[in-house]
Structures are given as C-alpha cells and as structure tokens.
Amino acid sequence: MEILRQSARRLGLTLAVSTAVLGLFLALSGKIYLLPALIMGYFLAGVTLFTMGSRLWRSIGLSVGAAKRQMWWGLFLRLLMLFLVLGTAIRLSVEVFMAAVGGFVCCYGLGMAHLARAALDENREIHPKEAL
C-alpha cells in the first residue's frame, strides 16, 4: 500500500508540471478552453488507477475465483466509465475529445511509470544484490 501512496505523491507533482506545460501550450495556441477537458482526462485516469489499485488490494485475500470476479467486475466498471465520459466528450467536439483522451493518456502513462519505478525501488531495497 505504501508503494501506491508514494506513486500517487510523485504523480501529483509530475501532473502539476505537465499541466503547467500543457496549459502554456494551449494558451499559446489560443485553445485554453480545452484545459478543463484535459483535466477531465486526468480525473478519469486517476479514478481508473485508483479503482485498479483498490480492486487488486481487495482481491489479495480472496480465492482465485472470487479474485477473478472482482477483477472482471472492476474492468467492466472502468470501461463503462471510459465510454460514458469519452462518449460525452466526443459529442461536444473532436477537440474536447482529443484533449480528454490526451489528459487520460498522459495521467495514466505517468501513473503507471511512477508505479513501476516505485516497485523497482522497493525491489532494490528487498534484494539489493540482485538489482540491475
């Protein structure tokens, strides 16, 4: 659980910097109105990452069958949420949709990268001689 907290802290800082850079880019290109859609994509990715982590955490003590059901149910809920939010964004405009998808990809990719980094750091602490 500490790995998830550590990754979330680092992700927050990285997203703040990314938002500043992307916000500046949007402002310079005259499309600052897309910033809320970008942040909506961040929120969608954050919820996705959180639900994945919580489903994994809950399935730790379950039997294999119950864990599979837990993970499939979580996948269904995440995909439903993605289709609803991005489906609404595409109805607004293609630009809003692309900004939301860009925010989702940015946040999700950074979140996974931070999670992988935290897991590697944790592995190095446990097995220092076997680390690459």
Side-chain angles (χ1 to χ4, degrees), residues 37-54:
L38 181 75
I39 293 171
M40 180 182 66
Y42 287 171
F43 178 74
L44 189 59
V47 170
T48 301
L49 289 167
F50 175 77
T51 57
M52 281 178 25
S54 68

Side-chain angles (χ1 to χ4, degrees), residues 17-100:
V17 172
S18 299
T19 304
V21 170
L22 291 171
L24 180 64
F25 174 73
L26 288 173
L28 291 174
S29 64
K31 297 187 183 218
I32 195 70
Y33 61 90
L34 293 175
L35 191 60
L38 181 75
I39 293 171
M40 180 182 66
Y42 287 171
F43 178 74
L44 189 59
V47 170
T48 301
L49 289 167
F50 175 77
T51 57
M52 281 178 25
S54 68
R55 294 273 172 193
L56 279 170
W57 190 256
R58 275 191 242 150
S59 66
I60 287 174
L62 299 176
S63 68
V64 174
K68 280 184 182 180
R69 282 191 298 279
Q70 183 79 248
M71 296 310 290
W72 279 110
W73 180 243
L75 176 64
F76 171 74
L77 289 176
R78 286 189 303 275
L79 288 176
L80 179 66
M81 181 181 56
L82 277 169
F83 285 123
L84 288 175
V85 172
L86 295 179
T88 302
I90 194 71
R91 284 185 177 85
L92 295 174
S93 75
V94 173
E95 284 183 320
V96 170
F97 174 77
M98 293 306 289

